[in-house]
Amino acid sequence: MPIQLSIQRAQQLKAKPDEKKLGFGQYYTDHMLIIDYTKGQGWHDARIVPYAPISLDPAAMVLHYGQAIFEGMKAFRTEKGEILLFRPDKNMERMNVSNDRLSIPPVDGDFLIHAIKELVHLEQDWVPSEPGTSLYIRPFIIATEACLGVRASYQYMLMVILSPVGAYYSEGIKPVKINVESEYVRAVRGGTGHAKTAGNYASSIKAQEEAKEGGYAQVLWLDGVEKKYIEEVGSMNVFFKINGEVVTPELNGSILQGVTRDSVLQLLKSWNVPVTERRVSIQELYDASANGTLEEAFGTGTAAVISPIGELSWEGRVIQINGGVIGPIAQRLYDSITGIQNGTLADPFGWTVQVETAKA
Ligand SMILES: *Cc1c(COP(=O)(O)O)cnc(C)c1O
């Protein structure tokens, strides 16, 4: 990867949006990062430029065959005014897992973290400080070569855009209703389920829309072969507490390795809470519910951190979990992770990375 990073500043800066009405992914900052790849030359021309539309050849391979991967991470403003990234090395590691599966050339994670820190540094006034808000960081790579032949592209564009996002739980944490999807599947072993690639999302939208129409917030995905084993919830990993033990589906090739999932596992182990990564069947959950041992259920992901599940519906059978309120483990995890991210709690695992600011 290049070691040079050029910066072209925007002539005019945008007005900042109201921090209380940010929502998710509605506003973009003044600059973006671009790095090009050309076969034979590698990654080159790393540059921070004014945020603007890009132009693509209509034959750009991403538009036809979907060679595209992305990442999602956040920068947080501490009470002291510092800016912290949360485990960016894990995102870089996963980006290369996705790249490998999509036949996209690998990136140099250390250089990319450096470039992202420079971008966030330049955009520091965009990192909001209202409680629960953050600056969402979206790195992504697309195949840009103009060619309709089916093969790996010889050209790519890596971009990083930034979006200030609002508090996920502005009205307090409310457990959500989830539909267990029995028709559509998200991924199969050997497929692309473990890669953060656009196609996984494209094929999941129909199930999500149908769930929404039925009054559910999200879909619980079962394995693509037997439709028996739990995989993920929406675009989050999923955890259950059954009879005192926390369980989460093991990484089997069709599940995305969430950074939040990994953080939850490490925290639970450090608290001596029994936690196991293994296959979990939907029947096991319903049995546990029937005998009163299904104590908690929650999704984990960068957007919400922890999203408690209050109700599951599987082929017309509905179960309630923890009386529809957030459970103690989910609450403790939420408080711990957000506390580390916001700098209000100690960071015993060394998860946060500081971005230089003018004031700090
Ligand atoms: C991004 C993502 C997750 C969550 O990963 P985090 O790193 O915790 O944000 C889980 N499942 C899918 C399908 C995802 O795309």
Side-chain angles (χ1 to χ4, degrees), residues 110-301:
D110 290 338
F111 176 77
L112 196 50
I113 291 174
H114 160 73
I116 288 172
K117 283 165 84 174
E118 290 289 320
L119 180 63
V120 174
H121 170 74
L122 180 65
E123 302 288 55
Q124 55 187 279
D125 292 345
W126 283 92
V127 183
S129 47
E130 279 289 315
T133 62
S134 57
L135 184 69
Y136 186 78
I137 303 171
R138 167 57 60 89
F140 62 103
I141 301 177
I142 54 172
T144 50
E145 187 193 28
C147 175
L148 295 183
V150 180
R151 57 160 171 78
S153 174
Y154 295 161
Q155 287 166 22
Y156 299 89
M157 192 177 209
L158 182 161
M159 303 184 68
V160 181
I161 53 175
L162 307 177
S163 175
V165 296
Y168 198 87
Y169 296 113
S170 47
E171 285 152 34
I173 304 183
K174 280 201 207 97
V176 292
K177 289 187 184 182
I178 300 288
N179 184 46
V180 181
E181 178 57 56
S182 339
E183 186 182 355
Y184 307 113
V185 299
R186 178 187 164 270
V188 290
R189 249 155 272 173
T192 56
H194 65 299
K196 220 168 165 74
T197 180
N200 290 344
Y201 280 75
S203 62
S204 74
I205 289 170
K206 193 170 169 69
Q208 191 181 323
E209 287 198 324
E210 289 181 13
K212 286 249 158 79
E213 278 164 28
Y216 301 96
Q218 275 294 352
V219 197
L220 187 81
W221 298 103
L222 300 179
D223 73 278
V225 178
E226 297 180 78
K227 293 188 190 158
K228 268 190 191 169
Y229 300 101
I230 290 162
E231 299 240 305
E232 300 200 40
V233 58
S235 49
M236 290 184 282
N237 296 113
V238 68
F239 287 76
F240 303 95
K241 184 157 171 268
I242 303 173
N243 203 16
E245 183 193 33
V246 178
V247 296
T248 191
E250 65 194 350
L251 299 176
N252 60 0
S254 57
I255 291 172
L256 197 94
Q257 43 182 318
V259 177
T260 320
R261 177 186 183 277
D262 185 81
S263 308
V264 162
L265 288 171
Q266 285 197 48
L267 280 169
L268 291 172
K269 285 173 191 165
S270 76
W271 299 337
N272 293 317
V273 173
V275 54
T276 317
E277 297 171 69
R278 61 166 169 85
R279 284 211 298 197
V280 185
S281 74
I282 183 70
Q283 188 62 52
E284 177 184 352
L285 284 193
Y286 272 66
D287 291 347
S289 170
N291 68 30
T293 55
L294 179 56
E295 295 158 17
E296 294 189 38
F298 52 92
T300 68

Side-chain angles (χ1 to χ4, degrees), residues 307-321:
S307 174
I309 299 169
E311 185 179 308
L312 286 177
S313 173
W314 177 38
E315 294 181 338
R317 291 190 285 154
V318 174
I319 57 173
Q320 311 282 341
I321 302 161

